[in-house]
Amino acid sequence: MLDDAVRRIREATDLEPRVGVVLGSGLGGLADALESRVEIPYDDIPGWPTSTAVGHAGVLVLGEVDGVAIAVMRGRAHLYEGVGADRAVFGVRVLGRLGVRTLVVTNAAGGINEAYRPGMLVLISDHVNLQGASPLVGTNDEELGPRFPDMSDAYDPELRRLAREAAGRLGIELPEGVYAAWLGPQFETPAEIRFMRAVGGDLAGMSTVPEVIAARHMGVRCLGISVVTNMAAGVLPEKIDHSAVLEVGARAAGSLTALLRELVPTLSA
Ligand code: HPA
């Protein structure tokens, strides 16, 4: 199945991307900025699960930034849509098979850390998987990777250094934080957010972790960037509203796109 998907992509373009990017809810700006762009709707790629989440386009975009070929997943599958974790990471595995060695994952997240503010970008330093699922459950495909992959440095320290340098050049504040992954689709309760904070979480979100597990399984280096779209439940005396989450995400998307344009060409080594 992965091979059929790779064949379909190779039919559409000669580009050989070594860097992949997953763009979260409403964060599609980088895809529009690519040169020599080729777009392939997920529906046209054999085996690719279709995304049903609002704000997710569902298209694979290949193109170049500063002459560096990249593959951008605009839209992703989430576990809360009812796809199994193994299916949700299909796209990431296709990118790995296509030759991607570095994956940048982005997402919208709730801020647990009180030093954060909505609209801020945060570099993911590590994660806590509270989704109760792993894409690696089941028979291990030895061609993809080992049965028991190491997850130390899942968010590559060298890539994080490059990200901090790129942010510094642009004057973008980029603190680091731990991403706690929640199954959803309901937002967390305030008690659940206090639990996430107690186990070391700075950010709450519903994506990214299955993708990073699948990428690390294949030996692909990962970098994660969250857009803080709201403070998490109970942090402020306000309710969480998905349309406000999308709106803040759309406003912060500009600085995320600027950071990715600066950063991505430095990741192709
Ligand atoms: N919790 C979980 N996921 C999210 C949030 C949140 O507060 N905001 C955006 N994605």
Side-chain angles (χ1 to χ4, degrees), residues 21-263:
V21 182
V22 182
L23 297 177
S25 314
L27 306 177
L30 180 73
D32 297 330
L34 297 186
E35 298 130 38
S36 316
R37 195 160 75 230
V38 175
E39 299 199 2
I40 315 171
Y42 294 162
D43 286 346
D44 290 352
I45 306 176
W48 200 298
T50 316
S51 174
T52 62
V54 179
H56 284 253
V59 57
L60 179 68
V61 187
L62 289 98
E64 293 179 327
V65 193
D66 291 349
V68 174
I70 69 171
V72 179
M73 282 173 55
R74 190 166 182 182
R76 55 153 60 97
H78 301 82
L79 303 193
Y80 64 70
E81 293 172 74
V83 289
D86 176 50
R87 292 285 299 133
V89 301
F90 184 82
V92 165
R93 285 181 169 150
V94 169
L95 294 191
R97 274 291 176 82
L98 198 61
V100 161
R101 303 314 303 152
T102 302
L103 184 72
V104 182
V105 283
T106 67
N107 57 58
I112 300 174
N113 187 322
E114 293 183 358
Y116 299 165
R117 292 176 305 283
M120 219 174 181
L121 304 183
V122 178
L123 193 56
I124 301 177
S125 58
D126 203 345
H127 74 225
V128 179
N129 183 3
L130 302 173
Q131 295 188 315
S134 164
L136 309 185
V137 168
T139 309
N140 186 54
D141 183 345
E142 294 289 331
E143 278 185 26
L144 291 178
R147 171 77 290 188
F148 300 109
D150 176 48
M151 289 295 286
S152 353
D153 293 336
Y155 300 83
D156 191 273
E158 172 64 13
L159 299 181
R160 277 151 56 199
R161 185 180 64 76
L162 292 171
R164 284 192 301 268
E165 285 175 5
R169 287 194 296 278
L170 299 175
I172 294 174
E173 195 185 353
L174 190 66
E176 288 203 342
V178 173
Y179 181 90
W182 187 244
L183 178 61
Q186 75 290 348
F187 290 114
E188 303 78 8
T189 65
E192 286 160 348
I193 290 299
R194 290 195 298 276
F195 168 79
M196 287 173 152
R197 181 182 290 128
V199 298
D202 296 298
L203 299 154
M206 303 177 195
S207 66
T208 299
V209 162
E211 293 154 5
V212 168
I213 293 170
R216 293 306 302 136
H217 183 228
M218 300 179 87
V220 171
R221 298 190 303 167
C222 295
L223 182 75
I225 303 171
S226 289
V227 174
V228 178
T229 50
N230 57 283
M231 294 312 287
V235 175
L236 299 175
E238 295 172 357
K239 297 202 173 170
I240 301 171
D241 166 10
H242 186 243
S243 60
V245 165
L246 290 180
E247 194 186 305
V248 175
R251 268 190 276 134
S255 55
L256 177 69
T257 300
L259 177 60
L260 292 174
R261 285 188 72 154
E262 177 77 15
L263 173 62

